[in-house]
Amino acid sequence: MQVLFDRQQGKTTTGDMDPEALRRYGHQMVDWIVEYLKGVEDYPVLSKVSPGAIRSSLPTHAPLQPETMETILGDVDRLVMPGMTHWNAPGFMGYFGLTSSGPSMMGDMLDAALNVTRMLWSTSPAATELEQVTLDWLRQMLGLPRSLFGMLHHNSAVLHALVAAREALPDLHIRRRGLAGRTEVPRLRFYASQEAHASIEKAAIVLGIGQEGLRKIGTDNEFRMDVAELERAIREDLKAGWLPFAVVATVGTTSTTSIDPVPRIADICERYRLWLHVDAAYAGAAAIVPSMRWVLAGCERADSLTVNPHKWLFTSFGCSVLYTRKPELLRAALSLTPDYLQDTTGPGSDMPNLMDYDISLPHRFPALKLWMVMRYFGQKGLEERIREHCRLAHLLAQWIDTTPDFERLAPTHLSVVCFRVHPRGMDDEMELEALNQRIIKRVNAGGHFFLSHTRVRGKFTIRVAIGNIRTTEAHVRGVWENIRAALRSERDSIKGLLGGGQSGIMRMLCLPGRFR
Ligand SMILES: *Cc1c(COP(=O)(O)O)cnc(C)c1O
């Protein structure tokens, strides 16, 4: 074998980093990670760099000659870290609170070293079988029926669910013949609430169903799909010549974590023979807590369901589960085996070749980290952590409800709190929006916390999302303290805006405590 020269390590026979160098740098890297996590709160949660700053600090060409690992790791500290927003910090409360926990990192490391594709069972039997077992464990924890087939994806696999739903339509042969230019095929339509995640609409775009093929259904006063409107829409569409084929219900919407009435939606799906997909990306994990099993009520009737361990199960990104009770349809839609991938394991195996159920080849071994997380924390440990996050959210909700000049804008079922600052006498929506935007800006500029916003019935809404494993009551007190301090700093600038008159009545309409 050619002997290559690694400038630091001397001779290497592999061409790769010398094994002893890997050991040395690997240890350094683990030390770096430990120190990072110990000191993660010393960084501003939201990166403070200006746009383009990172790019302009980097060379415009890749190095011609090898560089030392010391130089590279030094540049991570010097050039990369200032441009990081710290999603894994306990003060990260924007979007959803997420975690890459210790056991998840261990799984990721191992995964990087093994670097497999689980396209065929034989291309790493353990990768397929461990995944099947781990997802069956999770299924049991969530109280879902035995008959579900589970598979891990990098992202929420609503696209896969809809492909299967489309395949379920009899006699259309869309897989083979496509949709375009076929006058005999009615236009397909599926349904989701106005609060559904953007990935649902993107799936409609990608599948050639088009944005018009997704009809968005209105919601009730707690942001849940209006089932009567759903049924009306389906009837109307049938009359107008559309072909309804699926409904996507959301358990835990991204904006307010509202939970669609799945049992009633399932009734409609049965009545009209529609595929029911449940998007429980974030909230599904809550069903691990026995007293919160209700979040998945009715989901045993779904044809498919997503839950993302990378949302609220302390597992790093790239770990989303798709369960379906009709894997044969997923397979019928997506199985395509070129000669070079013909499985030679022979008949008699009931182990799936996961590439038959996926749009792309299923790369990597994401079950490893989930398996490690589930074993390291145990069902009880996961349960405790999720319950604690909900307790913290309720605590914050309580503080909001009992503090003048604050109002909650959505029920707090889980670990996300939606609210806004609403000073007495200030009832102009534009002014309230500007004020709340400034509050978020002040809190984020403080560096200890990161908050994002949403819009609830058109109202600009502050969102506090609790979900990082390291977030404690002290952090929640901290963010609450920061928010009130931001309001105090705004007092002077808003004094002139506070009117009298009927604003008292306006206040009555948005008294705290509407959502208990
Ligand atoms: C986060 C989220 C998604 C998207 O999940 P990815 O895994 O990032 O694709 C979809 N639906 C809901 C309700 C979500 O909260």
Side-chain angles (χ1 to χ4, degrees), residues 156-191:
S156 293
V158 63
L159 192 62
H160 291 73
L162 289 172
V163 164
R166 199 172 70 172
E167 191 64 22
L169 293 169
D171 308 324
L172 291 183
H173 310 292
I174 293 171
R175 167 184 157 122
R176 185 161 47 87
R177 302 188 52 206
L179 280 169
R182 296 178 65 190
T183 46
E184 81 284 14
V185 179
R187 288 188 72 187
L188 302 189
R189 196 160 235 188
F190 70 107
Y191 306 82

PDB file of all heavy atoms in Angstrom, residues 156-191:
ATOM      1  N   SER A 156     -39.726  14.704   9.376  1.00  0.00           N
ATOM      2  CA  SER A 156     -41.121  14.259   9.388  1.00  0.00           C
ATOM      3  C   SER A 156     -41.518  13.784   8.002  1.00  0.00           C
ATOM      4  O   SER A 156     -41.430  14.534   7.033  1.00  0.00           O
ATOM      5  CB  SER A 156     -42.035  15.409   9.773  1.00  0.00           C
ATOM      6  OG  SER A 156     -41.809  15.760  11.096  1.00  0.00           O
ATOM      7  N   ALA A 157     -41.996  12.544   7.933  1.00  0.00           N
ATOM      8  CA  ALA A 157     -42.148  11.912   6.630  1.00  0.00           C
ATOM      9  C   ALA A 157     -43.585  11.999   6.116  1.00  0.00           C
ATOM     10  O   ALA A 157     -44.152  11.012   5.663  1.00  0.00           O
ATOM     11  CB  ALA A 157     -41.676  10.464   6.711  1.00  0.00           C
ATOM     12  N   VAL A 158     -44.182  13.205   6.169  1.00  0.00           N
ATOM     13  CA  VAL A 158     -45.558  13.337   5.687  1.00  0.00           C
ATOM     14  C   VAL A 158     -45.635  13.029   4.197  1.00  0.00           C
ATOM     15  O   VAL A 158     -46.639  12.509   3.703  1.00  0.00           O
ATOM     16  CB  VAL A 158     -46.131  14.737   6.007  1.00  0.00           C
ATOM     17  CG1 VAL A 158     -45.355  15.822   5.310  1.00  0.00           C
ATOM     18  CG2 VAL A 158     -47.602  14.817   5.641  1.00  0.00           C
ATOM     19  N   LEU A 159     -44.546  13.302   3.496  1.00  0.00           N
ATOM     20  CA  LEU A 159     -44.491  13.004   2.070  1.00  0.00           C
ATOM     21  C   LEU A 159     -44.697  11.506   1.844  1.00  0.00           C
ATOM     22  O   LEU A 159     -45.449  11.091   0.959  1.00  0.00           O
ATOM     23  CB  LEU A 159     -43.122  13.451   1.535  1.00  0.00           C
ATOM     24  CG  LEU A 159     -42.919  13.502   0.045  1.00  0.00           C
ATOM     25  CD1 LEU A 159     -43.866  14.495  -0.604  1.00  0.00           C
ATOM     26  CD2 LEU A 159     -41.473  13.887  -0.275  1.00  0.00           C
ATOM     27  N   HIS A 160     -44.038  10.704   2.663  1.00  0.00           N
ATOM     28  CA  HIS A 160     -44.181   9.253   2.547  1.00  0.00           C
ATOM     29  C   HIS A 160     -45.618   8.828   2.846  1.00  0.00           C
ATOM     30  O   HIS A 160     -46.185   7.976   2.170  1.00  0.00           O
ATOM     31  CB  HIS A 160     -43.223   8.545   3.505  1.00  0.00           C
ATOM     32  CG  HIS A 160     -41.790   8.687   3.126  1.00  0.00           C
ATOM     33  ND1 HIS A 160     -41.088   9.847   3.268  1.00  0.00           N
ATOM     34  CD2 HIS A 160     -40.920   7.789   2.600  1.00  0.00           C
ATOM     35  CE1 HIS A 160     -39.845   9.670   2.848  1.00  0.00           C
ATOM     36  NE2 HIS A 160     -39.714   8.424   2.438  1.00  0.00           N
ATOM     37  N   ALA A 161     -46.193   9.431   3.874  1.00  0.00           N
ATOM     38  CA  ALA A 161     -47.564   9.077   4.245  1.00  0.00           C
ATOM     39  C   ALA A 161     -48.508   9.386   3.090  1.00  0.00           C
ATOM     40  O   ALA A 161     -49.382   8.576   2.748  1.00  0.00           O
ATOM     41  CB  ALA A 161     -47.973   9.843   5.500  1.00  0.00           C
ATOM     42  N   LEU A 162     -48.316  10.522   2.459  1.00  0.00           N
ATOM     43  CA  LEU A 162     -49.228  10.902   1.376  1.00  0.00           C
ATOM     44  C   LEU A 162     -49.002  10.071   0.113  1.00  0.00           C
ATOM     45  O   LEU A 162     -49.937   9.810  -0.645  1.00  0.00           O
ATOM     46  CB  LEU A 162     -49.087  12.401   1.075  1.00  0.00           C
ATOM     47  CG  LEU A 162     -49.649  13.325   2.174  1.00  0.00           C
ATOM     48  CD1 LEU A 162     -49.299  14.776   1.890  1.00  0.00           C
ATOM     49  CD2 LEU A 162     -51.161  13.165   2.322  1.00  0.00           C
ATOM     50  N   VAL A 163     -47.764   9.650  -0.092  1.00  0.00           N
ATOM     51  CA  VAL A 163     -47.498   8.762  -1.226  1.00  0.00           C
ATOM     52  C   VAL A 163     -48.258   7.447  -1.037  1.00  0.00           C
ATOM     53  O   VAL A 163     -48.881   6.927  -1.976  1.00  0.00           O
ATOM     54  CB  VAL A 163     -45.975   8.498  -1.365  1.00  0.00           C
ATOM     55  CG1 VAL A 163     -45.714   7.304  -2.258  1.00  0.00           C
ATOM     56  CG2 VAL A 163     -45.275   9.731  -1.925  1.00  0.00           C
ATOM     57  N   ALA A 164     -48.241   6.945   0.195  1.00  0.00           N
ATOM     58  CA  ALA A 164     -48.973   5.705   0.480  1.00  0.00           C
ATOM     59  C   ALA A 164     -50.475   5.937   0.335  1.00  0.00           C
ATOM     60  O   ALA A 164     -51.197   5.091  -0.216  1.00  0.00           O
ATOM     61  CB  ALA A 164     -48.632   5.204   1.880  1.00  0.00           C
ATOM     62  N   ALA A 165     -50.931   7.094   0.826  1.00  0.00           N
ATOM     63  CA  ALA A 165     -52.363   7.408   0.734  1.00  0.00           C
ATOM     64  C   ALA A 165     -52.796   7.464  -0.734  1.00  0.00           C
ATOM     65  O   ALA A 165     -53.874   7.000  -1.106  1.00  0.00           O
ATOM     66  CB  ALA A 165     -52.643   8.742   1.417  1.00  0.00           C
ATOM     67  N   ARG A 166     -51.942   8.013  -1.563  1.00  0.00           N
ATOM     68  CA  ARG A 166     -52.254   8.124  -2.983  1.00  0.00           C
ATOM     69  C   ARG A 166     -52.276   6.741  -3.635  1.00  0.00           C
ATOM     70  O   ARG A 166     -53.107   6.435  -4.482  1.00  0.00           O
ATOM     71  CB  ARG A 166     -51.194   9.012  -3.639  1.00  0.00           C
ATOM     72  CG  ARG A 166     -51.598   9.580  -4.950  1.00  0.00           C
ATOM     73  CD  ARG A 166     -50.579  10.576  -5.425  1.00  0.00           C
ATOM     74  NE  ARG A 166     -49.337   9.921  -5.817  1.00  0.00           N
ATOM     75  CZ  ARG A 166     -48.327  10.548  -6.414  1.00  0.00           C
ATOM     76  NH1 ARG A 166     -48.399  11.854  -6.631  1.00  0.00           N
ATOM     77  NH2 ARG A 166     -47.241   9.896  -6.753  1.00  0.00           N
ATOM     78  N   GLU A 167     -51.351   5.908  -3.181  1.00  0.00           N
ATOM     79  CA  GLU A 167     -51.271   4.540  -3.718  1.00  0.00           C
ATOM     80  C   GLU A 167     -52.537   3.749  -3.353  1.00  0.00           C
ATOM     81  O   GLU A 167     -52.914   2.813  -4.053  1.00  0.00           O
ATOM     82  CB  GLU A 167     -50.013   3.856  -3.167  1.00  0.00           C
ATOM     83  CG  GLU A 167     -49.651   2.548  -3.817  1.00  0.00           C
ATOM     84  CD  GLU A 167     -49.278   2.703  -5.298  1.00  0.00           C
ATOM     85  OE1 GLU A 167     -48.902   3.819  -5.705  1.00  0.00           O
ATOM     86  OE2 GLU A 167     -49.385   1.697  -6.032  1.00  0.00           O
ATOM     87  N   ALA A 168     -53.155   4.164  -2.230  1.00  0.00           N
ATOM     88  CA  ALA A 168     -54.348   3.449  -1.775  1.00  0.00           C
ATOM     89  C   ALA A 168     -55.550   3.708  -2.681  1.00  0.00           C
ATOM     90  O   ALA A 168     -56.529   2.975  -2.629  1.00  0.00           O
ATOM     91  CB  ALA A 168     -54.683   3.862  -0.339  1.00  0.00           C
ATOM     92  N   LEU A 169     -55.478   4.743  -3.512  1.00  0.00           N
ATOM     93  CA  LEU A 169     -56.592   5.022  -4.426  1.00  0.00           C
ATOM     94  C   LEU A 169     -56.632   3.919  -5.480  1.00  0.00           C
ATOM     95  O   LEU A 169     -55.642   3.689  -6.183  1.00  0.00           O
ATOM     96  CB  LEU A 169     -56.385   6.377  -5.112  1.00  0.00           C
ATOM     97  CG  LEU A 169     -56.472   7.607  -4.203  1.00  0.00           C
ATOM     98  CD1 LEU A 169     -55.993   8.850  -4.928  1.00  0.00           C
ATOM     99  CD2 LEU A 169     -57.896   7.782  -3.699  1.00  0.00           C
ATOM    100  N   PRO A 170     -57.764   3.242  -5.603  1.00  0.00           N
ATOM    101  CA  PRO A 170     -57.792   2.103  -6.527  1.00  0.00           C
ATOM    102  C   PRO A 170     -57.807   2.546  -7.995  1.00  0.00           C
ATOM    103  O   PRO A 170     -58.348   3.591  -8.329  1.00  0.00           O
ATOM    104  CB  PRO A 170     -59.108   1.393  -6.157  1.00  0.00           C
ATOM    105  CG  PRO A 170     -59.953   2.448  -5.516  1.00  0.00           C
ATOM    106  CD  PRO A 170     -59.032   3.460  -4.909  1.00  0.00           C
ATOM    107  N   ASP A 171     -57.181   1.773  -8.818  1.00  0.00           N
ATOM    108  CA  ASP A 171     -57.323   1.874 -10.285  1.00  0.00           C
ATOM    109  C   ASP A 171     -56.736   3.127 -10.939  1.00  0.00           C
ATOM    110  O   ASP A 171     -56.978   3.374 -12.111  1.00  0.00           O
ATOM    111  CB  ASP A 171     -58.811   1.782 -10.710  1.00  0.00           C
ATOM    112  CG  ASP A 171     -59.483   0.566 -10.108  1.00  0.00           C
ATOM    113  OD1 ASP A 171     -58.784  -0.478 -10.003  1.00  0.00           O
ATOM    114  OD2 ASP A 171     -60.655   0.646  -9.719  1.00  0.00           O
ATOM    115  N   LEU A 172     -56.003   3.940 -10.196  1.00  0.00           N
ATOM    116  CA  LEU A 172     -55.493   5.157 -10.838  1.00  0.00           C
ATOM    117  C   LEU A 172     -54.071   4.989 -11.383  1.00  0.00           C
ATOM    118  O   LEU A 172     -53.647   5.723 -12.264  1.00  0.00           O
ATOM    119  CB  LEU A 172     -55.540   6.342  -9.863  1.00  0.00           C
ATOM    120  CG  LEU A 172     -56.955   6.826  -9.500  1.00  0.00           C
ATOM    121  CD1 LEU A 172     -56.875   8.034  -8.587  1.00  0.00           C
ATOM    122  CD2 LEU A 172     -57.752   7.167 -10.744  1.00  0.00           C
ATOM    123  N   HIS A 173     -53.341   4.040 -10.820  1.00  0.00           N
ATOM    124  CA  HIS A 173     -51.978   3.733 -11.298  1.00  0.00           C
ATOM    125  C   HIS A 173     -51.110   4.983 -11.399  1.00  0.00           C
ATOM    126  O   HIS A 173     -50.427   5.189 -12.412  1.00  0.00           O
ATOM    127  CB  HIS A 173     -52.031   3.017 -12.660  1.00  0.00           C
ATOM    128  CG  HIS A 173     -52.967   1.857 -12.662  1.00  0.00           C
ATOM    129  ND1 HIS A 173     -52.714   0.715 -11.938  1.00  0.00           N
ATOM    130  CD2 HIS A 173     -54.177   1.677 -13.264  1.00  0.00           C
ATOM    131  CE1 HIS A 173     -53.718  -0.138 -12.104  1.00  0.00           C
ATOM    132  NE2 HIS A 173     -54.620   0.421 -12.889  1.00  0.00           N
ATOM    133  N   ILE A 174     -51.166   5.808 -10.380  1.00  0.00           N
ATOM    134  CA  ILE A 174     -50.429   7.073 -10.432  1.00  0.00           C
ATOM    135  C   ILE A 174     -48.926   6.833 -10.393  1.00  0.00           C
ATOM    136  O   ILE A 174     -48.151   7.541 -11.020  1.00  0.00           O
ATOM    137  CB  ILE A 174     -50.898   8.014  -9.309  1.00  0.00           C
ATOM    138  CG1 ILE A 174     -52.343   8.443  -9.577  1.00  0.00           C
ATOM    139  CG2 ILE A 174     -49.998   9.250  -9.198  1.00  0.00           C
ATOM    140  CD1 ILE A 174     -53.008   9.185  -8.450  1.00  0.00           C
ATOM    141  N   ARG A 175     -48.530   5.802  -9.671  1.00  0.00           N
ATOM    142  CA  ARG A 175     -47.106   5.484  -9.619  1.00  0.00           C
ATOM    143  C   ARG A 175     -46.551   5.329 -11.029  1.00  0.00           C
ATOM    144  O   ARG A 175     -45.487   5.850 -11.342  1.00  0.00           O
ATOM    145  CB  ARG A 175     -46.910   4.193  -8.809  1.00  0.00           C
ATOM    146  CG  ARG A 175     -45.523   3.606  -8.947  1.00  0.00           C
ATOM    147  CD  ARG A 175     -45.394   2.276  -8.208  1.00  0.00           C
ATOM    148  NE  ARG A 175     -44.309   1.504  -8.778  1.00  0.00           N
ATOM    149  CZ  ARG A 175     -43.249   1.057  -8.103  1.00  0.00           C
ATOM    150  NH1 ARG A 175     -43.126   1.309  -6.825  1.00  0.00           N
ATOM    151  NH2 ARG A 175     -42.325   0.355  -8.704  1.00  0.00           N
ATOM    152  N   ARG A 176     -47.267   4.628 -11.868  1.00  0.00           N
ATOM    153  CA  ARG A 176     -46.776   4.336 -13.207  1.00  0.00           C
ATOM    154  C   ARG A 176     -47.105   5.466 -14.186  1.00  0.00           C
ATOM    155  O   ARG A 176     -46.263   5.880 -14.971  1.00  0.00           O
ATOM    156  CB  ARG A 176     -47.384   3.017 -13.704  1.00  0.00           C
ATOM    157  CG  ARG A 176     -46.855   2.526 -15.046  1.00  0.00           C
ATOM    158  CD  ARG A 176     -47.146   1.027 -15.234  1.00  0.00           C
ATOM    159  NE  ARG A 176     -48.533   0.696 -14.882  1.00  0.00           N
ATOM    160  CZ  ARG A 176     -49.552   0.770 -15.731  1.00  0.00           C
ATOM    161  NH1 ARG A 176     -49.359   1.159 -16.971  1.00  0.00           N
ATOM    162  NH2 ARG A 176     -50.778   0.447 -15.343  1.00  0.00           N
ATOM    163  N   ARG A 177     -48.318   5.979 -14.100  1.00  0.00           N
ATOM    164  CA  ARG A 177     -48.782   6.874 -15.169  1.00  0.00           C
ATOM    165  C   ARG A 177     -48.737   8.349 -14.812  1.00  0.00           C
ATOM    166  O   ARG A 177     -48.951   9.199 -15.669  1.00  0.00           O
ATOM    167  CB  ARG A 177     -50.189   6.459 -15.600  1.00  0.00           C
ATOM    168  CG  ARG A 177     -50.209   4.990 -16.093  1.00  0.00           C
ATOM    169  CD  ARG A 177     -51.523   4.602 -16.710  1.00  0.00           C
ATOM    170  NE  ARG A 177     -51.916   5.554 -17.743  1.00  0.00           N
ATOM    171  CZ  ARG A 177     -53.167   5.786 -18.101  1.00  0.00           C
ATOM    172  NH1 ARG A 177     -54.143   5.135 -17.506  1.00  0.00           N
ATOM    173  NH2 ARG A 177     -53.443   6.675 -19.037  1.00  0.00           N
ATOM    174  N   GLY A 178     -48.471   8.630 -13.527  1.00  0.00           N
ATOM    175  CA  GLY A 178     -48.406  10.037 -13.126  1.00  0.00           C
ATOM    176  C   GLY A 178     -49.775  10.674 -13.082  1.00  0.00           C
ATOM    177  O   GLY A 178     -50.802   9.998 -13.198  1.00  0.00           O
ATOM    178  N   LEU A 179     -49.797  11.987 -12.932  1.00  0.00           N
ATOM    179  CA  LEU A 179     -51.068  12.707 -12.804  1.00  0.00           C
ATOM    180  C   LEU A 179     -51.331  13.633 -13.990  1.00  0.00           C
ATOM    181  O   LEU A 179     -52.466  13.817 -14.399  1.00  0.00           O
ATOM    182  CB  LEU A 179     -51.064  13.547 -11.519  1.00  0.00           C
ATOM    183  CG  LEU A 179     -51.358  12.829 -10.209  1.00  0.00           C
ATOM    184  CD1 LEU A 179     -51.051  13.740  -9.030  1.00  0.00           C
ATOM    185  CD2 LEU A 179     -52.811  12.369 -10.171  1.00  0.00           C
ATOM    186  N   ALA A 180     -50.267  14.169 -14.526  1.00  0.00           N
ATOM    187  CA  ALA A 180     -50.446  15.231 -15.524  1.00  0.00           C
ATOM    188  C   ALA A 180     -51.030  14.699 -16.830  1.00  0.00           C
ATOM    189  O   ALA A 180     -50.720  13.579 -17.251  1.00  0.00           O
ATOM    190  CB  ALA A 180     -49.104  15.911 -15.794  1.00  0.00           C
ATOM    191  N   GLY A 181     -51.877  15.498 -17.442  1.00  0.00           N
ATOM    192  CA  GLY A 181     -52.389  15.193 -18.771  1.00  0.00           C
ATOM    193  C   GLY A 181     -53.397  14.052 -18.813  1.00  0.00           C
ATOM    194  O   GLY A 181     -53.699  13.535 -19.879  1.00  0.00           O
ATOM    195  N   ARG A 182     -53.923  13.645 -17.656  1.00  0.00           N
ATOM    196  CA  ARG A 182     -54.876  12.524 -17.661  1.00  0.00           C
ATOM    197  C   ARG A 182     -56.272  13.060 -17.358  1.00  0.00           C
ATOM    198  O   ARG A 182     -56.616  13.290 -16.197  1.00  0.00           O
ATOM    199  CB  ARG A 182     -54.463  11.485 -16.618  1.00  0.00           C
ATOM    200  CG  ARG A 182     -53.124  10.832 -16.924  1.00  0.00           C
ATOM    201  CD  ARG A 182     -52.758   9.856 -15.829  1.00  0.00           C
ATOM    202  NE  ARG A 182     -53.688   8.741 -15.764  1.00  0.00           N
ATOM    203  CZ  ARG A 182     -53.685   7.856 -14.768  1.00  0.00           C
ATOM    204  NH1 ARG A 182     -52.838   7.979 -13.765  1.00  0.00           N
ATOM    205  NH2 ARG A 182     -54.552   6.862 -14.761  1.00  0.00           N
ATOM    206  N   THR A 183     -57.052  13.229 -18.380  1.00  0.00           N
ATOM    207  CA  THR A 183     -58.375  13.832 -18.185  1.00  0.00           C
ATOM    208  C   THR A 183     -59.293  12.921 -17.381  1.00  0.00           C
ATOM    209  O   THR A 183     -60.258  13.381 -16.782  1.00  0.00           O
ATOM    210  CB  THR A 183     -59.033  14.130 -19.545  1.00  0.00           C
ATOM    211  OG1 THR A 183     -58.869  12.975 -20.359  1.00  0.00           O
ATOM    212  CG2 THR A 183     -58.377  15.326 -20.230  1.00  0.00           C
ATOM    213  N   GLU A 184     -58.992  11.617 -17.342  1.00  0.00           N
ATOM    214  CA  GLU A 184     -59.891  10.697 -16.645  1.00  0.00           C
ATOM    215  C   GLU A 184     -59.654  10.699 -15.123  1.00  0.00           C
ATOM    216  O   GLU A 184     -60.414  10.113 -14.379  1.00  0.00           O
ATOM    217  CB  GLU A 184     -59.767   9.277 -17.212  1.00  0.00           C
ATOM    218  CG  GLU A 184     -58.591   8.431 -16.705  1.00  0.00           C
ATOM    219  CD  GLU A 184     -57.231   8.800 -17.314  1.00  0.00           C
ATOM    220  OE1 GLU A 184     -57.111   9.876 -17.926  1.00  0.00           O
ATOM    221  OE2 GLU A 184     -56.290   8.002 -17.159  1.00  0.00           O
ATOM    222  N   VAL A 185     -58.574  11.354 -14.677  1.00  0.00           N
ATOM    223  CA  VAL A 185     -58.280  11.376 -13.237  1.00  0.00           C
ATOM    224  C   VAL A 185     -58.753  12.692 -12.633  1.00  0.00           C
ATOM    225  O   VAL A 185     -58.319  13.763 -13.047  1.00  0.00           O
ATOM    226  CB  VAL A 185     -56.765  11.210 -12.979  1.00  0.00           C
ATOM    227  CG1 VAL A 185     -56.459  11.263 -11.481  1.00  0.00           C
ATOM    228  CG2 VAL A 185     -56.262   9.905 -13.568  1.00  0.00           C
ATOM    229  N   PRO A 186     -59.657  12.612 -11.657  1.00  0.00           N
ATOM    230  CA  PRO A 186     -60.096  13.859 -11.022  1.00  0.00           C
ATOM    231  C   PRO A 186     -58.955  14.487 -10.225  1.00  0.00           C
ATOM    232  O   PRO A 186     -57.966  13.811  -9.906  1.00  0.00           O
ATOM    233  CB  PRO A 186     -61.213  13.411 -10.070  1.00  0.00           C
ATOM    234  CG  PRO A 186     -61.238  11.935 -10.085  1.00  0.00           C
ATOM    235  CD  PRO A 186     -60.226  11.415 -11.059  1.00  0.00           C
ATOM    236  N   ARG A 187     -59.060  15.757  -9.918  1.00  0.00           N
ATOM    237  CA  ARG A 187     -58.013  16.407  -9.129  1.00  0.00           C
ATOM    238  C   ARG A 187     -58.063  15.910  -7.695  1.00  0.00           C
ATOM    239  O   ARG A 187     -59.111  15.818  -7.081  1.00  0.00           O
ATOM    240  CB  ARG A 187     -58.195  17.926  -9.180  1.00  0.00           C
ATOM    241  CG  ARG A 187     -57.831  18.482 -10.545  1.00  0.00           C
ATOM    242  CD  ARG A 187     -57.829  19.992 -10.529  1.00  0.00           C
ATOM    243  NE  ARG A 187     -56.696  20.523  -9.787  1.00  0.00           N
ATOM    244  CZ  ARG A 187     -56.549  21.819  -9.506  1.00  0.00           C
ATOM    245  NH1 ARG A 187     -57.461  22.691  -9.865  1.00  0.00           N
ATOM    246  NH2 ARG A 187     -55.490  22.238  -8.841  1.00  0.00           N
ATOM    247  N   LEU A 188     -56.889  15.586  -7.178  1.00  0.00           N
ATOM    248  CA  LEU A 188     -56.811  15.042  -5.826  1.00  0.00           C
ATOM    249  C   LEU A 188     -56.840  16.170  -4.804  1.00  0.00           C
ATOM    250  O   LEU A 188     -56.301  17.248  -5.033  1.00  0.00           O
ATOM    251  CB  LEU A 188     -55.513  14.248  -5.634  1.00  0.00           C
ATOM    252  CG  LEU A 188     -55.263  13.080  -6.569  1.00  0.00           C
ATOM    253  CD1 LEU A 188     -54.056  12.289  -6.089  1.00  0.00           C
ATOM    254  CD2 LEU A 188     -56.470  12.183  -6.655  1.00  0.00           C
ATOM    255  N   ARG A 189     -57.458  15.856  -3.666  1.00  0.00           N
ATOM    256  CA  ARG A 189     -57.472  16.862  -2.605  1.00  0.00           C
ATOM    257  C   ARG A 189     -57.321  16.185  -1.244  1.00  0.00           C
ATOM    258  O   ARG A 189     -57.836  15.104  -1.005  1.00  0.00           O
ATOM    259  CB  ARG A 189     -58.779  17.645  -2.644  1.00  0.00           C
ATOM    260  CG  ARG A 189     -58.692  18.928  -1.844  1.00  0.00           C
ATOM    261  CD  ARG A 189     -59.769  19.909  -2.287  1.00  0.00           C
ATOM    262  NE  ARG A 189     -59.176  21.181  -2.666  1.00  0.00           N
ATOM    263  CZ  ARG A 189     -59.896  22.262  -2.946  1.00  0.00           C
ATOM    264  NH1 ARG A 189     -61.210  22.224  -2.939  1.00  0.00           N
ATOM    265  NH2 ARG A 189     -59.295  23.391  -3.247  1.00  0.00           N
ATOM    266  N   PHE A 190     -56.559  16.828  -0.359  1.00  0.00           N
ATOM    267  CA  PHE A 190     -56.514  16.364   1.034  1.00  0.00           C
ATOM    268  C   PHE A 190     -56.659  17.558   1.953  1.00  0.00           C
ATOM    269  O   PHE A 190     -56.670  18.711   1.511  1.00  0.00           O
ATOM    270  CB  PHE A 190     -55.246  15.536   1.304  1.00  0.00           C
ATOM    271  CG  PHE A 190     -53.953  16.308   1.301  1.00  0.00           C
ATOM    272  CD1 PHE A 190     -53.276  16.568   2.495  1.00  0.00           C
ATOM    273  CD2 PHE A 190     -53.388  16.768   0.125  1.00  0.00           C
ATOM    274  CE1 PHE A 190     -52.081  17.259   2.503  1.00  0.00           C
ATOM    275  CE2 PHE A 190     -52.193  17.471   0.130  1.00  0.00           C
ATOM    276  CZ  PHE A 190     -51.537  17.716   1.319  1.00  0.00           C
ATOM    277  N   TYR A 191     -56.797  17.276   3.240  1.00  0.00           N
ATOM    278  CA  TYR A 191     -57.247  18.293   4.180  1.00  0.00           C
ATOM    279  C   TYR A 191     -56.337  18.349   5.405  1.00  0.00           C
ATOM    280  O   TYR A 191     -55.854  17.325   5.873  1.00  0.00           O
ATOM    281  CB  TYR A 191     -58.695  17.985   4.621  1.00  0.00           C
ATOM    282  CG  TYR A 191     -59.602  17.821   3.426  1.00  0.00           C
ATOM    283  CD1 TYR A 191     -59.660  16.602   2.735  1.00  0.00           C
ATOM    284  CD2 TYR A 191     -60.336  18.883   2.935  1.00  0.00           C
ATOM    285  CE1 TYR A 191     -60.445  16.456   1.599  1.00  0.00           C
ATOM    286  CE2 TYR A 191     -61.126  18.755   1.798  1.00  0.00           C
ATOM    287  CZ  TYR A 191     -61.174  17.535   1.134  1.00  0.00           C
ATOM    288  OH  TYR A 191     -61.926  17.401   0.003  1.00  0.00           O
TER     289      TYR A 191
END
